[in-house]
Amino acid sequence: KVFKEGEKQIIVIVGDGDTNTLYGVVDFKNKYLVKAENADTHQPVYYFYKLFQDNMPDYDNTFHADTKDRGSWTWGYVIYDYRGYIDNMVNLKLNMLIIWNDCVPLNAKELVDYAHENGVKVIWGFSWGWGLICMETDVTELDKIKDEVIETYERDYSSLGGDGIYFQ
């Protein structure tokens, strides 16, 4: 909310918890501060209000996401700058990242920590059961695949602080 109280300009941004407050800041930045010149011509020229210098128009916005988990699936090896990727997710108010890798990334723990600091859950995807011929009725093969998935998760991913694993 933006309003004047006497001669003072006041900005109030609140949210239900740290992540939702962060989304309030994102909305304030993306919906209020940025104004397009010649918006009707779709020209990519932008300017920003100068906080507390320009006369700031009153503003009141309330937002609640209709979908609890909003995310992205990607191959892990194409994320060259995971901080920038996660920062972009925050700007889009996405809160879940599913990363598929053939092996655990060297910086996996660092990535998870940064994601969590920004309210983004990390779900790991990895290869399991690919190339096997297993019949749905062959319980022995299914148990073997299940055991391999659990072993891989416990050995490689459980200590990274992620929020789950991805199954197809």
Side-chain angles (χ1 to χ4, degrees):
K1 183 173 187 172
V2 177
F3 61 98
K4 285 188 95 161
E5 193 171 274
E7 293 299 312
K8 296 179 183 177
Q9 294 180 358
I10 299 173
I11 299 170
V12 178
I13 301 173
V14 295
D16 180 17
D18 293 343
T19 301
N20 289 330
T21 303
L22 176 60
Y23 291 154
V25 171
V26 167
D27 275 352
F28 181 73
K29 179 187 80 157
N30 291 337
K31 293 181 179 181
Y32 181 81
L33 289 183
V34 180
K35 298 294 178 183
E37 292 179 352
N38 304 314
D40 58 332
T41 63
H42 303 288
Q43 296 298 314
V45 179
Y46 296 93
Y47 67 94
F48 297 87
Y49 287 117
K50 294 178 184 153
L51 290 176
F52 306 110
Q53 293 175 15
D54 291 346
N55 188 16
M56 309 270 294
D58 287 350
Y59 175 74
D60 194 352
N61 181 49
T62 302
F63 172 81
H64 182 272
D66 291 331
T67 306
K68 180 181 175 186
D69 293 316
R70 304 163 310 279
S72 172
W73 183 103
T74 184
W75 296 105
Y77 63 86
V78 298
I79 301 177
Y80 302 112
D81 174 11
Y82 71 87
R83 288 176 184 266
Y85 193 96
I86 292 167
D87 291 346
N88 283 332
M89 289 185 68
V90 170
N91 269 326
L92 296 169
K93 296 190 280 186
L94 299 175
N95 64 357
M96 184 168 52
L97 174 59
I98 302 170
I99 304 174
W100 181 276
N101 287 292
D102 293 329
C103 58
V104 180
L106 296 176
N107 62 346
K109 178 73 172 120
E110 189 179 311
L111 182 152
V112 169
D113 290 345
Y114 189 76
H116 286 173
E117 288 171 12
N118 287 280
V120 176
K121 298 178 209 167
V122 176
I123 310 296
W124 294 110
F126 54 87
S127 181
W128 59 273
W130 288 93
L132 295 178
I133 299 172
C134 62
M135 298 168 28
E136 292 178 18
T137 56
D138 188 348
V139 177
T140 350
E141 285 297 313
L142 294 177
D143 284 343
K144 180 181 172 190
I145 293 170
K146 178 190 74 170
D147 292 343
E148 288 175 7
V149 169
I150 292 170
E151 179 185 331
T152 301
Y153 175 77
E154 288 176 348
R155 180 187 64 237
D156 298 337
Y157 293 92
S158 65
S159 64
L160 301 177
D163 300 289
I165 56 176
Y166 172 74
F167 288 90
Q168 288 184 332

